[in-house]
Amino acid sequence: MIKFVLADLKRFRLGSAVIVLLIALAVALGTTITLQERAFRLGSARAAEKFDLIVGAPGSATQLVLSSVFLQPAALPLMPGDTLIALSEDPRVAWAAPIGFGDFVSGYPVIGTTTTLVGNTKTGFAEGRAFAAEGEAVIGSAVDLSLGDSLIPSHGRVAEGGHAHAGIAYRVTGRLEPTGTPWDRAILVPIQAVWHVHGLGGHASHDDHDHDGHGQDGHGHATDGHDHDALAAASVDHDHDHDHDHDHDHDHDHDAEEHEAHKAHGEASFDPDAPLDESWAAGEPPGLPAILVKPNSIADAYRLRQEYRATGDTLAVFPAEILTGLYAMLGDAKRVLVAVAIGAQVLVAAALLLVTVMQVGQRRRQIGALRAFGAPRGAVFGIVWLEMALLFGTGILCGFGLGYVAADALSRSFALARGFPLPVAFTRADLWSLALLALAAGLLSALPAWLAYRQPPVSALRD
């Protein structure tokens, strides 16, 4: 029977290949959606697992997490710098580390932070050491740079209109081990360097905090639009608080004047050989976009979140809580896409059933000959059923394989763009899906087999 079926499939190999391809594409669509959605959940959860609590200024909690954990550029508001001191001295906090955004080097984000974060969230150094001076930098495992390289940061991406910081350069002193997070594509520098580069400056003279008529209020908020963007996010529109109705030439002149003032007042305080000073007195730290906090216990984490989200100056969030909300939205989108995929599979199955039923009708003489040569009805049923089951089964297996390849390719592309991997893998639930599809294929294959089973041999040969 098997040899007969294989010979028959070989005879109609073109039609068989088309049937397998249609089934494979329909199954691959649903498989890709399922695997990709699961990979995103796992990848994003792993990327955020080291960040227990994030404190920032009031605003979008989702954007705070996306910018702090996944390093997505955005203009975040600033919170009072004294919040860092309060958290660092809080007995409920194991450690607290500031992060500052705004600069880029060859498309890699430059993140200002402290040795506290490097020592407590990273897996170690692949080579070199941590930064120990204001002009030193540590690179993530995926940054295409080498130890000893000199890095000139730009405010915003140069390709999008950002400008390089004249006279500012960092020297790479270490490369971190891979972490599987977006921070693998980050360049870490001392937070004091970021402050000084942008004219803010912890221990610098407070007279330097004001330029062009802008400064800081008594709570440490940066009120200058340019400094706000420089620390808060990678935004190339660093004069967005000025009049947008000026013509293009006037804007260009204004940007040039602001850039010169920025150089004169901010970058002059940057000293690449200055030793690190990560202790601050009240009123010294400028405004900050975010602080990463490691509570001593789960109970402390909830108390800190409640305390720092109850004030008018700060917002405290659990990254996992925000991701759960995003997953809910993603789940709704997945249900829609899965419904579309199932609809496509049903349409393909219906079309293939129609084709196979017509094929059985066209092969009535072959079936009649088999019966005339003594083949029992059960054998005819088995031949037709096995032939169709092989086509459906091959298409389903190919669809699962094709779906995996597509999901893996999408995940690799995402990892290159966003900096963290999305693990693609089958689970036990996928085996149940495969079993259900195989059962459905077996039932569908029984319809043309049943038609062949009922066909009388005499009438088939007479036709």
Side-chain angles (χ1 to χ4, degrees), residues 7 11 29 32 43 48 58 62 65 90 166 173 214 226 251 277 288 304 364-365 373 403 447 452 454 459:
R11 178 186 174 191
L29 178 60
T32 302
T62 300
V65 171
D90 196 313
T173 62
H214 298 284
H226 177 71
D251 284 341
D277 188 353
L288 290 167
L304 288 166
R364 292 181 65 188
R365 294 184 64 84
F373 283 111
L447 178 59
R454 292 182 65 251
S459 62

PDB file of all heavy atoms in Angstrom, residues 7 11 29 32 43 48 58 62 65 90 166 173 214 226 251 277 288 304 364-365 373 403 447 452 454 459:
ATOM      1  N   ALA A   7       4.069   6.010  -5.196  1.00  0.00           N
ATOM      2  CA  ALA A   7       4.095   6.079  -6.660  1.00  0.00           C
ATOM      3  C   ALA A   7       3.022   7.032  -7.177  1.00  0.00           C
ATOM      4  O   ALA A   7       3.250   7.786  -8.146  1.00  0.00           O
ATOM      5  CB  ALA A   7       3.903   4.676  -7.248  1.00  0.00           C
ATOM      6  N   ARG A  11       3.588  10.531  -9.218  1.00  0.00           N
ATOM      7  CA  ARG A  11       2.924  10.774 -10.501  1.00  0.00           C
ATOM      8  C   ARG A  11       2.286  12.151 -10.537  1.00  0.00           C
ATOM      9  O   ARG A  11       2.330  12.840 -11.558  1.00  0.00           O
ATOM     10  CB  ARG A  11       1.875   9.683 -10.723  1.00  0.00           C
ATOM     11  CG  ARG A  11       1.075   9.846 -12.014  1.00  0.00           C
ATOM     12  CD  ARG A  11      -0.022   8.817 -12.062  1.00  0.00           C
ATOM     13  NE  ARG A  11      -0.896   9.029 -13.206  1.00  0.00           N
ATOM     14  CZ  ARG A  11      -2.050   8.416 -13.368  1.00  0.00           C
ATOM     15  NH1 ARG A  11      -2.482   7.541 -12.442  1.00  0.00           N
ATOM     16  NH2 ARG A  11      -2.799   8.655 -14.431  1.00  0.00           N
ATOM     17  N   LEU A  29       2.114  30.820   9.327  1.00  0.00           N
ATOM     18  CA  LEU A  29       1.625  32.123   9.771  1.00  0.00           C
ATOM     19  C   LEU A  29       1.258  32.094  11.257  1.00  0.00           C
ATOM     20  O   LEU A  29       1.698  32.941  12.044  1.00  0.00           O
ATOM     21  CB  LEU A  29       0.416  32.534   8.925  1.00  0.00           C
ATOM     22  CG  LEU A  29      -0.252  33.869   9.301  1.00  0.00           C
ATOM     23  CD1 LEU A  29       0.736  35.016   9.176  1.00  0.00           C
ATOM     24  CD2 LEU A  29      -1.479  34.104   8.421  1.00  0.00           C
ATOM     25  N   THR A  32       4.462  31.428  13.491  1.00  0.00           N
ATOM     26  CA  THR A  32       5.318  32.605  13.634  1.00  0.00           C
ATOM     27  C   THR A  32       4.748  33.581  14.652  1.00  0.00           C
ATOM     28  O   THR A  32       5.477  34.120  15.495  1.00  0.00           O
ATOM     29  CB  THR A  32       5.490  33.307  12.278  1.00  0.00           C
ATOM     30  OG1 THR A  32       6.052  32.394  11.326  1.00  0.00           O
ATOM     31  CG2 THR A  32       6.399  34.522  12.401  1.00  0.00           C
ATOM     32  N   GLY A  43      12.087  37.634  26.271  1.00  0.00           N
ATOM     33  CA  GLY A  43      13.231  38.517  26.096  1.00  0.00           C
ATOM     34  C   GLY A  43      13.112  39.795  26.893  1.00  0.00           C
ATOM     35  O   GLY A  43      14.071  40.229  27.547  1.00  0.00           O
ATOM     36  N   ALA A  48      14.586  43.025  31.892  1.00  0.00           N
ATOM     37  CA  ALA A  48      14.186  43.889  33.007  1.00  0.00           C
ATOM     38  C   ALA A  48      14.363  43.247  34.369  1.00  0.00           C
ATOM     39  O   ALA A  48      14.114  43.899  35.386  1.00  0.00           O
ATOM     40  CB  ALA A  48      12.718  44.296  32.834  1.00  0.00           C
ATOM     41  N   PRO A  58       7.303  62.710  37.546  1.00  0.00           N
ATOM     42  CA  PRO A  58       5.932  62.386  37.122  1.00  0.00           C
ATOM     43  C   PRO A  58       5.791  62.478  35.608  1.00  0.00           C
ATOM     44  O   PRO A  58       6.321  63.394  34.976  1.00  0.00           O
ATOM     45  CB  PRO A  58       5.093  63.448  37.838  1.00  0.00           C
ATOM     46  CG  PRO A  58       5.900  63.843  39.017  1.00  0.00           C
ATOM     47  CD  PRO A  58       7.334  63.769  38.571  1.00  0.00           C
ATOM     48  N   THR A  62       5.198  54.072  31.455  1.00  0.00           N
ATOM     49  CA  THR A  62       5.657  53.182  30.385  1.00  0.00           C
ATOM     50  C   THR A  62       6.911  53.729  29.725  1.00  0.00           C
ATOM     51  O   THR A  62       7.879  53.000  29.493  1.00  0.00           O
ATOM     52  CB  THR A  62       4.550  52.995  29.343  1.00  0.00           C
ATOM     53  OG1 THR A  62       3.407  52.422  29.965  1.00  0.00           O
ATOM     54  CG2 THR A  62       5.019  52.088  28.218  1.00  0.00           C
ATOM     55  N   VAL A  65      10.051  53.299  31.874  1.00  0.00           N
ATOM     56  CA  VAL A  65      10.616  51.946  31.809  1.00  0.00           C
ATOM     57  C   VAL A  65      11.303  51.717  30.470  1.00  0.00           C
ATOM     58  O   VAL A  65      12.416  51.167  30.412  1.00  0.00           O
ATOM     59  CB  VAL A  65       9.517  50.890  32.047  1.00  0.00           C
ATOM     60  CG1 VAL A  65      10.044  49.483  31.767  1.00  0.00           C
ATOM     61  CG2 VAL A  65       9.000  50.979  33.468  1.00  0.00           C
ATOM     62  N   ASP A  90      18.734  55.846  52.352  1.00  0.00           N
ATOM     63  CA  ASP A  90      17.577  55.152  52.919  1.00  0.00           C
ATOM     64  C   ASP A  90      17.978  53.740  53.347  1.00  0.00           C
ATOM     65  O   ASP A  90      18.527  52.970  52.552  1.00  0.00           O
ATOM     66  CB  ASP A  90      16.461  55.085  51.862  1.00  0.00           C
ATOM     67  CG  ASP A  90      15.118  54.739  52.462  1.00  0.00           C
ATOM     68  OD1 ASP A  90      15.039  53.793  53.260  1.00  0.00           O
ATOM     69  OD2 ASP A  90      14.122  55.431  52.132  1.00  0.00           O
ATOM     70  N   ALA A 166      32.417  69.504  21.146  1.00  0.00           N
ATOM     71  CA  ALA A 166      33.793  69.874  20.832  1.00  0.00           C
ATOM     72  C   ALA A 166      34.647  69.825  22.084  1.00  0.00           C
ATOM     73  O   ALA A 166      34.251  70.295  23.155  1.00  0.00           O
ATOM     74  CB  ALA A 166      33.823  71.274  20.217  1.00  0.00           C
ATOM     75  N   THR A 173      38.032  51.973  28.771  1.00  0.00           N
ATOM     76  CA  THR A 173      38.899  51.251  29.707  1.00  0.00           C
ATOM     77  C   THR A 173      38.426  49.824  29.977  1.00  0.00           C
ATOM     78  O   THR A 173      39.165  49.048  30.577  1.00  0.00           O
ATOM     79  CB  THR A 173      38.964  51.997  31.056  1.00  0.00           C
ATOM     80  OG1 THR A 173      37.652  52.055  31.633  1.00  0.00           O
ATOM     81  CG2 THR A 173      39.501  53.406  30.867  1.00  0.00           C
ATOM     82  N   HIS A 214      18.930  80.936  31.742  1.00  0.00           N
ATOM     83  CA  HIS A 214      18.212  79.781  32.254  1.00  0.00           C
ATOM     84  C   HIS A 214      19.021  79.155  33.367  1.00  0.00           C
ATOM     85  O   HIS A 214      20.236  79.205  33.388  1.00  0.00           O
ATOM     86  CB  HIS A 214      17.990  78.734  31.140  1.00  0.00           C
ATOM     87  CG  HIS A 214      17.158  79.268  30.022  1.00  0.00           C
ATOM     88  ND1 HIS A 214      15.808  79.423  30.095  1.00  0.00           N
ATOM     89  CD2 HIS A 214      17.517  79.709  28.780  1.00  0.00           C
ATOM     90  CE1 HIS A 214      15.341  79.923  28.959  1.00  0.00           C
ATOM     91  NE2 HIS A 214      16.373  80.103  28.154  1.00  0.00           N
ATOM     92  N   HIS A 226      17.528  73.071  26.736  1.00  0.00           N
ATOM     93  CA  HIS A 226      18.616  72.286  26.159  1.00  0.00           C
ATOM     94  C   HIS A 226      19.172  71.283  27.167  1.00  0.00           C
ATOM     95  O   HIS A 226      19.380  70.124  26.869  1.00  0.00           O
ATOM     96  CB  HIS A 226      19.705  73.246  25.689  1.00  0.00           C
ATOM     97  CG  HIS A 226      20.906  72.546  25.130  1.00  0.00           C
ATOM     98  ND1 HIS A 226      20.885  71.891  23.936  1.00  0.00           N
ATOM     99  CD2 HIS A 226      22.157  72.387  25.633  1.00  0.00           C
ATOM    100  CE1 HIS A 226      22.068  71.375  23.687  1.00  0.00           C
ATOM    101  NE2 HIS A 226      22.865  71.664  24.717  1.00  0.00           N
ATOM    102  N   ASP A 251      16.451  80.182  13.269  1.00  0.00           N
ATOM    103  CA  ASP A 251      16.663  79.011  14.103  1.00  0.00           C
ATOM    104  C   ASP A 251      18.107  78.541  14.018  1.00  0.00           C
ATOM    105  O   ASP A 251      18.708  78.120  15.009  1.00  0.00           O
ATOM    106  CB  ASP A 251      15.730  77.864  13.663  1.00  0.00           C
ATOM    107  CG  ASP A 251      14.313  78.106  14.122  1.00  0.00           C
ATOM    108  OD1 ASP A 251      14.128  78.922  15.042  1.00  0.00           O
ATOM    109  OD2 ASP A 251      13.407  77.481  13.537  1.00  0.00           O
ATOM    110  N   ASP A 277      33.918  61.234  41.936  1.00  0.00           N
ATOM    111  CA  ASP A 277      33.378  61.646  43.232  1.00  0.00           C
ATOM    112  C   ASP A 277      31.899  61.328  43.209  1.00  0.00           C
ATOM    113  O   ASP A 277      31.101  62.050  42.621  1.00  0.00           O
ATOM    114  CB  ASP A 277      33.622  63.131  43.469  1.00  0.00           C
ATOM    115  CG  ASP A 277      33.241  63.544  44.890  1.00  0.00           C
ATOM    116  OD1 ASP A 277      32.677  62.698  45.625  1.00  0.00           O
ATOM    117  OD2 ASP A 277      33.505  64.699  45.267  1.00  0.00           O
ATOM    118  N   LEU A 288      17.549  64.740  37.492  1.00  0.00           N
ATOM    119  CA  LEU A 288      17.837  63.425  36.924  1.00  0.00           C
ATOM    120  C   LEU A 288      16.604  62.861  36.229  1.00  0.00           C
ATOM    121  O   LEU A 288      15.491  63.017  36.731  1.00  0.00           O
ATOM    122  CB  LEU A 288      18.265  62.452  38.021  1.00  0.00           C
ATOM    123  CG  LEU A 288      19.638  62.682  38.659  1.00  0.00           C
ATOM    124  CD1 LEU A 288      19.763  61.845  39.924  1.00  0.00           C
ATOM    125  CD2 LEU A 288      20.735  62.328  37.679  1.00  0.00           C
ATOM    126  N   LEU A 304       8.723  51.690  49.231  1.00  0.00           N
ATOM    127  CA  LEU A 304       9.408  52.740  48.481  1.00  0.00           C
ATOM    128  C   LEU A 304       8.570  53.201  47.293  1.00  0.00           C
ATOM    129  O   LEU A 304       8.479  54.404  47.003  1.00  0.00           O
ATOM    130  CB  LEU A 304      10.768  52.231  47.998  1.00  0.00           C
ATOM    131  CG  LEU A 304      11.839  52.062  49.072  1.00  0.00           C
ATOM    132  CD1 LEU A 304      13.009  51.240  48.535  1.00  0.00           C
ATOM    133  CD2 LEU A 304      12.325  53.429  49.551  1.00  0.00           C
ATOM    134  N   ARG A 364     -11.966   8.069 -10.676  1.00  0.00           N
ATOM    135  CA  ARG A 364     -12.943   6.999 -10.465  1.00  0.00           C
ATOM    136  C   ARG A 364     -12.537   5.719 -11.206  1.00  0.00           C
ATOM    137  O   ARG A 364     -12.706   4.614 -10.684  1.00  0.00           O
ATOM    138  CB  ARG A 364     -14.321   7.443 -10.932  1.00  0.00           C
ATOM    139  CG  ARG A 364     -14.912   8.559 -10.073  1.00  0.00           C
ATOM    140  CD  ARG A 364     -16.279   8.948 -10.568  1.00  0.00           C
ATOM    141  NE  ARG A 364     -17.235   7.851 -10.413  1.00  0.00           N
ATOM    142  CZ  ARG A 364     -18.463   7.861 -10.890  1.00  0.00           C
ATOM    143  NH1 ARG A 364     -18.890   8.916 -11.577  1.00  0.00           N
ATOM    144  NH2 ARG A 364     -19.269   6.838 -10.687  1.00  0.00           N
ATOM    145  N   ARG A 365     -11.976   5.854 -12.401  1.00  0.00           N
ATOM    146  CA  ARG A 365     -11.587   4.659 -13.152  1.00  0.00           C
ATOM    147  C   ARG A 365     -10.444   3.923 -12.449  1.00  0.00           C
ATOM    148  O   ARG A 365     -10.419   2.688 -12.428  1.00  0.00           O
ATOM    149  CB  ARG A 365     -11.171   5.031 -14.573  1.00  0.00           C
ATOM    150  CG  ARG A 365     -12.334   5.597 -15.413  1.00  0.00           C
ATOM    151  CD  ARG A 365     -11.884   5.867 -16.839  1.00  0.00           C
ATOM    152  NE  ARG A 365     -11.495   4.640 -17.527  1.00  0.00           N
ATOM    153  CZ  ARG A 365     -12.345   3.809 -18.146  1.00  0.00           C
ATOM    154  NH1 ARG A 365     -13.651   4.085 -18.149  1.00  0.00           N
ATOM    155  NH2 ARG A 365     -11.908   2.722 -18.728  1.00  0.00           N
ATOM    156  N   PHE A 373      -9.761  -5.577  -9.489  1.00  0.00           N
ATOM    157  CA  PHE A 373      -8.654  -6.521  -9.283  1.00  0.00           C
ATOM    158  C   PHE A 373      -8.655  -7.135  -7.887  1.00  0.00           C
ATOM    159  O   PHE A 373      -7.705  -7.790  -7.502  1.00  0.00           O
ATOM    160  CB  PHE A 373      -7.316  -5.839  -9.534  1.00  0.00           C
ATOM    161  CG  PHE A 373      -7.014  -5.662 -10.990  1.00  0.00           C
ATOM    162  CD1 PHE A 373      -7.000  -4.397 -11.559  1.00  0.00           C
ATOM    163  CD2 PHE A 373      -6.745  -6.766 -11.805  1.00  0.00           C
ATOM    164  CE1 PHE A 373      -6.713  -4.234 -12.897  1.00  0.00           C
ATOM    165  CE2 PHE A 373      -6.457  -6.601 -13.152  1.00  0.00           C
ATOM    166  CZ  PHE A 373      -6.448  -5.335 -13.711  1.00  0.00           C
ATOM    167  N   GLY A 403       7.673  28.365  10.179  1.00  0.00           N
ATOM    168  CA  GLY A 403       7.312  29.353  11.185  1.00  0.00           C
ATOM    169  C   GLY A 403       8.445  29.615  12.154  1.00  0.00           C
ATOM    170  O   GLY A 403       8.694  30.763  12.556  1.00  0.00           O
ATOM    171  N   LEU A 447     -12.596  12.408   4.513  1.00  0.00           N
ATOM    172  CA  LEU A 447     -13.717  12.728   3.629  1.00  0.00           C
ATOM    173  C   LEU A 447     -13.512  12.199   2.217  1.00  0.00           C
ATOM    174  O   LEU A 447     -14.368  11.458   1.700  1.00  0.00           O
ATOM    175  CB  LEU A 447     -13.953  14.237   3.619  1.00  0.00           C
ATOM    176  CG  LEU A 447     -15.076  14.729   2.693  1.00  0.00           C
ATOM    177  CD1 LEU A 447     -16.399  14.072   3.083  1.00  0.00           C
ATOM    178  CD2 LEU A 447     -15.196  16.248   2.740  1.00  0.00           C
ATOM    179  N   ALA A 452     -14.305   7.655  -1.836  1.00  0.00           N
ATOM    180  CA  ALA A 452     -13.744   6.558  -2.635  1.00  0.00           C
ATOM    181  C   ALA A 452     -14.257   5.206  -2.135  1.00  0.00           C
ATOM    182  O   ALA A 452     -14.497   4.284  -2.932  1.00  0.00           O
ATOM    183  CB  ALA A 452     -12.222   6.603  -2.559  1.00  0.00           C
ATOM    184  N   ARG A 454     -17.185   4.526  -0.899  1.00  0.00           N
ATOM    185  CA  ARG A 454     -18.577   4.318  -1.293  1.00  0.00           C
ATOM    186  C   ARG A 454     -18.739   4.117  -2.796  1.00  0.00           C
ATOM    187  O   ARG A 454     -19.834   3.814  -3.256  1.00  0.00           O
ATOM    188  CB  ARG A 454     -19.429   5.522  -0.881  1.00  0.00           C
ATOM    189  CG  ARG A 454     -19.567   5.665   0.622  1.00  0.00           C
ATOM    190  CD  ARG A 454     -20.461   6.833   0.976  1.00  0.00           C
ATOM    191  NE  ARG A 454     -21.824   6.620   0.530  1.00  0.00           N
ATOM    192  CZ  ARG A 454     -22.419   7.256  -0.479  1.00  0.00           C
ATOM    193  NH1 ARG A 454     -21.733   8.163  -1.168  1.00  0.00           N
ATOM    194  NH2 ARG A 454     -23.674   6.999  -0.806  1.00  0.00           N
ATOM    195  N   SER A 459     -19.823   0.835 -11.709  1.00  0.00           N
ATOM    196  CA  SER A 459     -20.161   2.145 -12.262  1.00  0.00           C
ATOM    197  C   SER A 459     -18.910   2.944 -12.583  1.00  0.00           C
ATOM    198  O   SER A 459     -18.871   3.713 -13.565  1.00  0.00           O
ATOM    199  CB  SER A 459     -21.044   2.925 -11.267  1.00  0.00           C
ATOM    200  OG  SER A 459     -20.336   3.155 -10.055  1.00  0.00           O
TER     201      SER A 459
END
